[in-house]
Amino acid sequence: MKTESHLEKVLVSGNLAVTSECGPPRGCLPDHVREKGGYLRGVVDAINVTDNQTAMVRMSSLAASVLLKQEGLNPLYQMVTRDRNRLAMQADIIGAYSLGIDTMLCLSGDHTQFGDHPMAANVHDLDSIQLIQMVKAMRDEGKFQGGADIKGPPKMFIGAAANPFADPFELRVLRLAKKVAAGADFIQTQCIFNVDKFEKWMEQVRRRGLHKQVYILAGVTPMKSVGAARYMKNKVPGMDVPQDLVDRMGSVPKEKQPEEGITICIETIDRLKKIEGIAGFHIMAIDWEEKVKEIVDRAGLLPRPQV
Amino acid sequence: MITAERKPLEELIEYVRPFKRILLVGCNECVTVCSAGGRKEVGLLASGLKMALLQSGTTIEIREHTLERQCDPEYIDELLPMIDGVDAVMSMACGCGVQEVARRYKDKPVFPALNTKFMGASERQGVWAERCQGCGNCLLGMTGGICPIARCSKRLMNGPCGGSVTGKCEISKDVDCAWQLIWDRLKALGLEDQYLKIIPAKDWRPAGGGGPRKIIREDLAA
Amino acid sequence: MMENFEPVIVAFCCHYCAYTAADMAGSQRLEYSPNVKIIRVPCSGKVDAIHIIKAFEKGADGVYVAGCLDGDCHFKNGNNRASRRVEYVQKYLDEIGIGSERLEMVKMSAGMGYLFAQIAIDMTEKIRKLGPSPVRPLAMQASQPIAC
Amino acid sequence: MVEIQNMNGVQGHNKVLVIGGGLGGIRTALDLAEAEKDVILVDKAYAIGGLMTQLDRTFPTNNCDLCTLSPNLSESGRKQHIELLTMTSVKGVRGDKGNFTVSLETAPRYINLDKCTACGECHKHFPECVRFTPGLDHRAPTCMRYPQAIPQSFSVDLEKCSDINALIKVCPAGAISPDDIGRKFEIQCGSIVLSAGAALFDPSGLDYLGYSVEPDVVTNLEYERIMSASGPTMGQLVRPSNGKQPKKVAWIQCVGSRGLQKGAASYCSSACCMIALKEAIVTKERFQDDIETTIFYMDMRTFGKDYELYLERAKNKHGVRLIRSRPHSILRDDNQDGLRLSYTTDDTSEMKNEDFDMVVLSTGFKIADDVRELSLKMGLTLNPSGFAVTEEFSPVETSRPGIYVCGMMESPKDIPETMAQASAAACMAGKDLKVSLKDPDGDLPPERDVTDEALRIGVFICDCGENIGGVLDVLEIAEYSKSLPNVVVAEPQGHGCSRQSIEQIQKSIVENGLNRVVIGGCSPRTHEAKFQEAIRKAGLNKYLVEIANIRDQATWVHAHLPEKATRKAKDLMRMAVGAVAESHPLKDHSLPINKDVLVVGGGVTGMTTALRLADQGFKVYIAEKTNSLGGMAKNIHTTLSGSEVRPFVDNLIEQTKAHANIQVITRAIIVDHSGMPGMFKTGMQVGPQMFYRTIQHGVTILATGALANRPKQYLLGESEAVGTQLETDTLLADNPETVKSWDNVVMIQCVGSRIPENPNCSRICCQAAIKNALQIRKLNPETRIFVLYRDMRTYGFQEEYYLEARKQGVIFVRYSLDHLPQVQAVGKQVEVTFTDPILGRAITVTADRLCLSTGLIADEDSTEDLARIFKLPRTQDGFFLEDHVKLRPVDLPVPGFYVAGTAHSPKTIRESVTQAQAVASRAQLLLARDAINLGAAVARVDSTKCAACLICVRACPFDVPFINADGYSEIDPAKCHGCGLCASECPAKAIQLMQFEDDRIVAKLEQLFERMVA
């Protein structure tokens, strides 16, 4: 065990881990965070708290993580390299750890062009891999990037993202390898709809033995409607939604579509469970946190192990 | 070369409105090559300014002159015989030229006519694209000769983000994914392994993080 | 002012098509507005943005560049480059405040005398409706009055 | 003269004698001379020019002839290959082809041509004995035959001279030589072209037309002279009887033609309908509603290229009245001012009367007695009317080998056809002469260095007759020009392009030390080269001239706004003066020429052209679209005169295939083209595999033919009884038994022609109908044939066959567009219903055969592609559009391109052959040269400004600029096409296109706006 992280404990125990996410509100609404976290209590092993998701200003992920922690939940603190330079990031990391946050996800973040501050500078003092390296060095060597010793290093369980569906496809596994080499302990993948393609990716992951070096949590998302399916298929870069799923969503009446989406999500989890090297699931139910419990339950993943 | 584009006329009009006589100075280097500030653009801008100002009843005299280079003091000296007769100078050079003219002629207001954009290359006639950000510590040896700093929207140094789709960047279909280009080229060169090396966090001091940069060739420096 | 307004229009005509069409209009005695003054160029692609801008600066109320039909340029693609240049200069004219509608690109074949005449008439009427170029009266103050 | 032995030994006398200095003779002589062949041009008049010099304007452009012809005349005056012998007649011809000896006799002129400056002093003081040929012989004199006469000289009639010594004294040049006795001499030549022209029918004998008694009855030529600016009334249209302007003018057609009157010719004179239309249009143009114009005609024969449009213009735009009729008499009532014209129309038997102020008789052409005599003396076979009989499929070859004819001598025709035939005659007469090269610029004076001179601009304003002078005051323009900066001379110059004016301009350049010249005149497109040459001969660099096109751009298009035209002309002059001040001496560039020829199309026209050029030693490629030679002629069996077509075509194919210099490429589709005259490159896909090959060649000849029209009309393609004339021709040849079985045949003319969708006349259909009608009658004299027509257009000698058909009982019934014939299928036959205009009721004929005269249409697909690839203009109906419809009928506007045959317009085989030979001649003008002049309009780089940005390298459509070893853009002037794209895109303004420099263009803009017009 590298850290005190609950997620690490679940993973080390050999159970399939379950995580989900909670987008902080665009305002000073702590109750909103608490409410969302409430839906996930006892349902997941860690709750991702996004960092200015889609390049829109939100309550800081650090603050929201702390709010969840105060509720006794296990926040998974996300950090993007887009908004801060390495000084700010290191400061936040030791600050977060000081407030009891021990699990984090290192990302580069969406380009500002997609958000509501397209005029903002994209900092990218570091990229996500360099961030992983830095967090690992802070934890394992107890050193700031500048070389100085950290008095009381942050013992972070380090996560990274992987998108098996983006291009160039053959680089996707290599990039994962780089993240592992940089020090990632676990991986959360982009939403998986195209299980066939994901299997191919996993095959390469296994060939390189990466599944033995890192815990891979497969990302899933329940679709609310055929419109949402189409949007993700056509508009979200790096998202792969097969046409037959869109058709399937469209084949049922509008009021039944949310139910169909959840069913598809559960079926996907069932297929993913069979793939060697999958250590758990990351359920991204965007603004639909109340349904996570149902999904986890129907997928046979309840109750969550006590470790 | 350094690329630039003419500023909106509206902005330039306001710069020169208070003056009776100005000197419009072009540069026969980079900005000529990118059709932003050569002799021809000087002529076009002079006419345009005169006509725009005429409509609000202002007549302005614009003298036109194009220097070989606006970033070298000797060339800038060429303006000396003209400078006294004018109230202000508008430079059609990159930011370097504007500053150098201003430095040389301290008692004349100097205005930029161009927005200096980037160091780039001609992709084809009339199209210039960014190639270098002058980061001061070239990575191209590791990235197949394609710069991720200048050409990846996120300046990612270790591979493409999840937004790379069919070779294009997530920010626009018109922007190539630099990492796709890098990867294709590494593959073509049989240098795939190069990719697996993690490029460590960058030292931005040579890129300007260390303050205004200067190169001194001691053997040459006077 | 408007009733007596006689616009001055400069037509840059390529030698091989538009200028020949103008000659054709002549030999067919097709009457058109005397307001249009032709400047002959070898190819419409020869018409520099500066020539167009200078025409307005000197006092033109309208300018058009007349080249060969698409695909018929004697010099392969000069007419298309001229079209793109005209579009570029139109934007600049909007910036200057003269207005892009005072500049046009037209294309015709050498045999289209009637089209040459028609365009001359249409352009004159269009510019007449637009009124004098906003820089023209001022240009006149600067120099001497202009007759058409 | 050194005699050069010909290559194949046929001729020993290496020059051509051209008899007759009319338009045809001049064209023949010029073609030969420009192809570097020596010519002797003789004319019995004392100035060349012929009939055309007396015309006011010519159709269909309505240009003044003088300004289109006079450059040709002065050309012929200066040509070193041409020896001009005026006042000279041919007395006899001995010898054979290649070895003729011709006896000539020159009448005394009593004026030394070398000394005479044509100052006119002699004529001023002794008008009675200094000769002129008046346009209106019995009415009013002109001082010279025409103002631009060549040679520029008078002649003296000694018999009428009372005081010769006084006459001698009056001549400041000492040119008068009363001792001149003329001379008789012999010359030798290899071939002879007889282009003696035609005379006009004299209507004096026709008392019912009143010509000899009524001064207001004039011939069409006299009317031309009255309208002409150089005519007796100085261009004032007035009635000869009282000097007042007429209000109503009538034209009577076919006077002396079509066997209508006593002594009239049996043929149609071919051109009179167009002449009358032209005279009426010009009258309406000048006087609008002040004069009413009416043409009395039988058939309106506007069969030439786009002539039908001209007819429509006369009717619809100008309101010329056209009355189909037969005039009966012209009488003047004693108490009346006007002339009463009585006539009948074909829809009523009643005689109608109408009064006119002037009546113009459209007199036909005939062969003059002396010409007939000469022809016989030369041993030529003549037809009963005195025209030379020529080969059916080689219209300029007479019965005597080595002697060729062109123009009216062959048959009555208009100017374009004369020009084509003249070139054809040049081709045939010159084909065996050896090419001897001479330096055309050998005798030019050295160029004056004007670089350090202060500007001295000379301005010369043409009045161009009525064309400019009729709308504005040329003197006013000259005065105005004089006020412009740097102008030291400004004066009117009449016809500026006339030899006389050119000489005055040259004199002025020398005397006034001019170093820049501005011409206020017509289009630089047509006349720039001429004035460039003129100033070059006066010692100036030829690029120091600017032409203000005050004709095409002011007087022609603002004729009704003379004040505005004047102001615009001043603007244009000011712009030109401003621009010429910015001009600089330039040097021409040249390149060696590729002498191979590409002929597109392997029909009769293409093969004929190819053979003529191949015989001259040029390598010829024939690119034929189909898989065999022969073209449309393969489907035609006989001609109107009964000649067999097939043996002719087979023979042509055989010769073509066998010729060592001809390469035939079948199944060739032209796909791309580049280069310039003398160095073209054309790509084609060839053969069933469509493999790509390119051919390098110097000239391109389009002989792509036309298509037989097959409009879906009158059950064509639906009923077996209905077919085209072409199909009928085949039936006649292949199934005479079927034809014999026909009892009733109906022919409908103008099917698919002369209608709004295809307004032109197909030209060949009337003769085709007559041909088939006569053939059918030959097989079965009992067959009843009805020809339903709108106008029978059997021009020239075709008229005789038309008369024959009528005589044989073929029934001709006119129909109009309002009452089209109706056709219905009845079993295997068809019922044709039409209105008889005389009976005024419908008639139905049950016909065994309905022949539709469908004519020819342009091959829209191929002409469109070729026009696009070669960048050639076409007429609205898809035929290639020649450079000058009048004077250059087979030259295309793009230099190095020529057109012949039905790709030009519908025509008969004989006419196609004429054009094919003409093209062979025209092409040789270019091929005779060793280098092509690329002009001086090339882009030039100022390396001190060049930023080596590559923008020019990328902009150039021809990939000419490159960055040289010094790091600057370099443009090879020999490769530069002169478009100026690089100059307009250069961001450093380092490139200037010579002749169109920025300074010059901006100077025009400045001048246009900066100064006030008085």
Side-chain angles (χ1 to χ4, degrees), chain A residues 15-88:
Chain A
N15 284 296
L16 284 170
V18 179
T19 58
S20 185
E21 72 178 28
C22 162
R26 305 201 67 199
C28 309
L29 303 167
D31 286 345
H32 188 87
V33 180
R34 292 183 191 111
E35 185 200 341
K36 280 191 169 184
Y39 294 125
L40 301 171
R41 187 182 299 276
V43 175
V44 300
D45 307 315
I47 301 168
N48 287 45
V49 183
T50 56
D51 183 7
N52 283 346
Q53 181 185 352
T54 64
M56 313 260 275
V57 181
R58 291 166 186 275
M59 180 189 289
S60 78
S61 59
L62 173 55
S65 295
V66 171
L67 283 171
L68 292 178
K69 191 77 197 172
Q70 286 168 350
E71 293 296 302
L73 296 163
N74 295 312
L76 200 166
Y77 171 41
Q78 292 193 188
M79 177 174 279
V80 299
T81 65
R82 177 193 61 219
D83 302 338
R84 302 171 194 73
N85 70 3
R86 63 191 86 177
L87 269 73

Side-chain angles (χ1 to χ4, degrees), chain A residues 132-145 147-155 182:
Chain A
I132 294 167
Q133 269 188 323
M134 183 174 76
V135 182
K136 182 173 162 41
M138 289 170 79
R139 179 186 73 192
D140 297 349
E141 297 164 31
K143 288 207 186 286
F144 289 117
Q145 188 153 58
D149 288 340
I150 305 173
K151 291 167 187 141
K155 298 288 180 192

Side-chain angles (χ1 to χ4, degrees), chain D residues 623-901:
Chain D
E624 164 58 39
K625 188 168 70 169
T626 69
N627 55 11
S628 67
L629 294 171
M632 186 174 281
K634 281 190 297 190
N635 303 323
I636 302 171
H637 299 81
T638 54
T639 66
L640 178 58
S641 62
S643 299
E644 295 270 340
V645 178
R646 267 188 182 159
F648 161 68
V649 177
D650 290 345
N651 183 32
L652 261 187
I653 293 175
E654 207 171 294
Q655 284 185 48
T656 304
K657 285 183 172 165
H659 206 294
N661 285 342
I662 299 179
Q663 188 185 344
V664 178
I665 308 164
T666 52
R667 293 203 196 180
I669 312 283
I670 309 270
V671 291
D672 58 52
H673 174 80
S674 61
M676 60 182 81
M679 45 185 301
F680 289 129
K681 196 158 111 188
T682 300
M684 52 189 82
Q685 285 179 323
V686 176
Q689 278 82 38
M690 306 285 279
F691 76 85
Y692 179 81
R693 77 176 275 191
T694 56
I695 285 172
Q696 308 218 352
H697 53 108
V699 299
T700 314
I701 293 165
L702 295 175
T704 52
L707 291 180
N709 194 7
R710 283 189 69 84
K712 292 234 170 299
Q713 239 181 312
Y714 299 124
L715 304 180
L716 181 59
E718 291 171 44
S719 165
E720 266 183 49
V722 183
T724 63
Q725 295 288 10
L726 196 62
E727 289 159 353
T728 306
D729 175 86
T730 304
L731 271 182
L732 278 161
D734 298 347
N735 291 310
E737 291 311 311
T738 309
V739 175
K740 271 186 200 166
S741 71
W742 294 341
D743 293 327
N744 285 314
V745 173
V746 178
M747 299 182 175
I748 303 178
Q749 299 304 102
C750 302
V751 178
S753 304
R754 301 182 65 197
I755 49 171
E757 304 89 79
N758 182 26
N760 267 308
C761 164
S762 265
R763 184 182 180 116
I764 58 167
C765 327
C766 282
Q767 62 95 29
I770 300 287
K771 174 185 80 175
N772 286 341
L774 288 172
Q775 294 269 340
I776 293 168
R777 293 284 290 201
K778 209 182 197 176
L779 287 170
N780 182 359
E782 302 302 313
T783 307
R784 292 208 304 160
I785 304 176
F786 299 84
V787 179
L788 310 183
Y789 72 100
R790 289 172 60 197
D791 290 282
M792 279 312 288
R793 292 181 167 174
T794 43
Y795 53 92
F797 298 125
Q798 293 172 5
E799 179 72 8
E800 291 171 359
Y801 295 91
Y802 174 40
L803 290 178
E804 174 63 25
R806 293 192 91 114
K807 206 188 285 170
Q808 285 193 21
V810 176
I811 300 158
F812 290 85
V813 183
R814 195 165 57 78
Y815 75 90
S816 68
L817 277 182
D818 307 331
H819 295 96
L820 291 176
Q822 302 298 314
V823 178
Q824 251 189 328
V826 180
K828 285 191 161 181
Q829 295 170 308
V830 286
E831 259 183 22
V832 184
T833 306
F834 51 90
T835 310
D836 186 315
I838 298 168
L839 304 174
R841 63 182 177 81
I843 293 175
T844 300
V845 175
T846 304
D848 304 296
R849 178 71 176 176
L850 174 61
C851 307
L852 302 180
S853 292
T854 49
L856 297 176
I857 49 170
D859 185 349
E860 186 70 35
D861 285 349
S862 73
T863 59
E864 189 180 356
D865 283 351
L866 292 171
R868 183 177 44 77
I869 293 166
F870 292 133
K871 315 246 180 282
L872 298 169
R874 294 186 302 156
T875 59
Q876 268 166 6
D877 45 359
F879 293 100
F880 290 109
L881 179 61
E882 58 272 35
D883 187 34
H884 193 293
V885 292
K886 200 82 198 168
L887 296 176
R888 288 155 65 84
V890 298
D891 295 52
L892 286 166
V894 180
F897 280 86
Y898 307 88
V899 64

Side-chain angles (χ1 to χ4, degrees), chain B residues 28-29 31-41 68 122 124-126 128, chain D residues 944-952 954-955 983-990:
Chain B
N28 205 33
E29 286 282 343
V31 291
T32 292
V33 177
C34 68
S35 288
R39 251 170 233 101
K40 174 176 181 154
E41 297 299 319
E68 186 57 35
S122 318
R124 54 178 198 275
Q125 184 84 311
W128 296 272
Chain D
T944 63
K945 290 182 175 169
C946 176
C949 66
L950 292 163
I951 283 175
C952 56
R954 295 176 188 137
S984 64
E985 299 207 353
C986 173
K989 290 271 106 216

Side-chain angles (χ1 to χ4, degrees), chain B residues 6 8-9 40-41 43-45 47-48 50-52 54-55 125, chain C residues 48-50 53-54 56-57 81 92 95-98 134-135 138:
Chain B
R6 180 172 55 74
L9 195 65
K40 174 176 181 154
E41 297 299 319
L44 278 174
L45 180 58
S47 283
K50 276 187 261 186
M51 285 192 275
L54 261 180
Q55 292 171 67
Q125 184 84 311
Chain C
D48 197 318
I50 287 199
I53 291 297
K54 286 279 177 205
F56 283 108
E57 189 185 334
R81 296 193 85 96
Y92 192 38
E95 275 196 281
I96 294 170
I98 287 172
V135 298
L138 304 150

